[in-house]
Amino acid sequence: MLYFDDALKIIISAIGSYLFYKAYRPPHAPMDAKERDANVKGAMENRFWSQYLVILKAHTQLFLGIIEISAMLLKNWPSLIPFPVQSLLSFPEGNVERLHFSTLHVIGGLMIIMGGAIRVWAISALGHFFRFQVGIQKDHRLIKHGLYAVVRHPSYMGMQLTHIGSLLWHLTPGSWVRESGVLNTYMGLVLLSAYFCFIVTTFYTITIARMRQEDKVIQQAFGKEWEEWAKTVPYRVMPGVY
């Protein structure tokens, strides 16, 4: 029998994992020299760091979401999960029966969904102007409608929500990471620690350091138009906060 809380956990995990994946899967190929305005330079233009590590993050979150859902199915319908797969979902000292909703766990899942939706919306508004590399394309226009009329960097607002939400979803009681026993294995501890350290690191470097660099690049390219927009939309990522 599938209880309501377990069904809701599966639904939130599925929606959150999909939106996180879609929000960090590059919608376009890396920007190359032919597409860039040669007069405008930005930072963090390395294709490897700005593109492929983000792809790795998106797929890792999707994988963890599939694992979480599979563990919930194992808890409720063990016969659906082949025995060899069961050994990958529950480790020594772990027990999938302990998977449940805690308050912080629920908050984390909802933050992932909200942040992912905001980021996907922001990416859609920018269209082909959205790239993971900082730079101005030759036909670039300053987008000022939709979420860009609320904050100047809505995709980073989405990133803050998804990253904090991801930490809460995976590291609080009731999650697969906490209850499965995977952290008691050497490989699991190393790989998951590396992933969550990457989440924390990119949270700072992208939303703090890179955002300021983007503002400088866009201001240099659009001049007075950007300055008027910045006066109208003074907040970077959180209305009334920052």
Side-chain angles (χ1 to χ4, degrees), residues 15-134:
I15 296 174
S17 298
Y18 169 75
L19 286 174
F20 192 105
Y21 174 77
K22 188 171 179 61
Y24 294 99
R25 184 175 179 273
H28 306 289
M31 191 187 306
D32 59 32
K34 294 180 180 179
E35 294 179 290
R36 271 199 190 104
D37 185 336
N39 297 317
V40 180
K41 298 296 182 182
M44 294 191 180
E45 296 175 355
N46 183 285
R47 291 189 180 191
F48 177 79
W49 289 103
S50 61
Q51 191 98 346
Y52 301 112
L53 284 182
V54 178
I55 294 175
L56 176 62
K57 176 171 64 176
H59 282 82
T60 300
Q61 184 70 25
L62 183 63
F63 174 75
L64 288 174
I66 293 172
I67 291 292
E68 188 96 30
I69 294 171
S70 299
M72 291 302 299
L73 293 177
L74 176 61
K75 175 185 175 181
N76 289 274
W77 293 301
S79 61
L80 290 179
I81 307 298
F83 183 76
V85 177
Q86 292 185 21
S87 63
L88 300 176
L89 299 176
S90 185
F91 299 85
E93 300 182 34
N95 186 353
V96 295
E97 294 295 327
R98 295 200 299 260
L99 268 67
H100 66 278
F101 264 152
S102 63
T103 301
L104 290 177
H105 189 58
V106 175
I107 292 173
L110 295 178
M111 288 179 70
I112 293 174
I113 292 174
M114 183 182 298
I118 288 173
R119 187 169 165 86
V120 169
W121 188 1
I123 291 172
S124 176
L126 282 182
H128 75 278
F129 297 133
F130 182 89
R131 302 298 173 98
F132 283 171
Q133 297 75 38
V134 178

Side-chain angles (χ1 to χ4, degrees), residues 84-221:
V85 177
Q86 292 185 21
S87 63
L88 300 176
L89 299 176
S90 185
F91 299 85
E93 300 182 34
N95 186 353
V96 295
E97 294 295 327
R98 295 200 299 260
L99 268 67
H100 66 278
F101 264 152
S102 63
T103 301
L104 290 177
H105 189 58
V106 175
I107 292 173
L110 295 178
M111 288 179 70
I112 293 174
I113 292 174
M114 183 182 298
I118 288 173
R119 187 169 165 86
V120 169
W121 188 1
I123 291 172
S124 176
L126 282 182
H128 75 278
F129 297 133
F130 182 89
R131 302 298 173 98
F132 283 171
Q133 297 75 38
V134 178
I136 300 296
Q137 299 174 51
K138 293 180 179 179
D139 62 341
H140 216 110
R141 292 182 291 105
L142 188 60
I143 304 300
K144 297 177 285 186
H145 63 270
L147 290 174
Y148 290 89
V150 181
V151 292
R152 299 204 301 270
H153 298 276
S155 66
Y156 294 156
M157 175 169 64
M159 176 178 284
Q160 289 183 338
L161 290 170
T162 56
H163 281 46
I164 296 174
S166 179
L167 295 175
L168 291 175
W169 178 258
H170 292 298
L171 299 180
T172 52
S175 69
W176 175 81
V177 171
R178 285 288 298 272
E179 309 299 352
S180 67
V182 66
L183 293 179
N184 297 325
T185 68
Y186 176 77
M187 186 65 71
L189 180 62
V190 170
L191 291 178
L192 288 171
S193 295
Y195 174 68
F196 292 122
C197 284
F198 177 57
I199 288 286
V200 173
T201 301
T202 53
F203 175 82
Y204 171 77
T205 56
I206 297 297
T207 61
I208 303 300
R210 174 172 165 139
M211 186 166 55
R212 292 174 179 172
Q213 293 169 337
E214 283 192 9
D215 273 342
K216 290 179 65 176
V217 169
I218 298 172
Q219 183 179 13
Q220 179 184 347

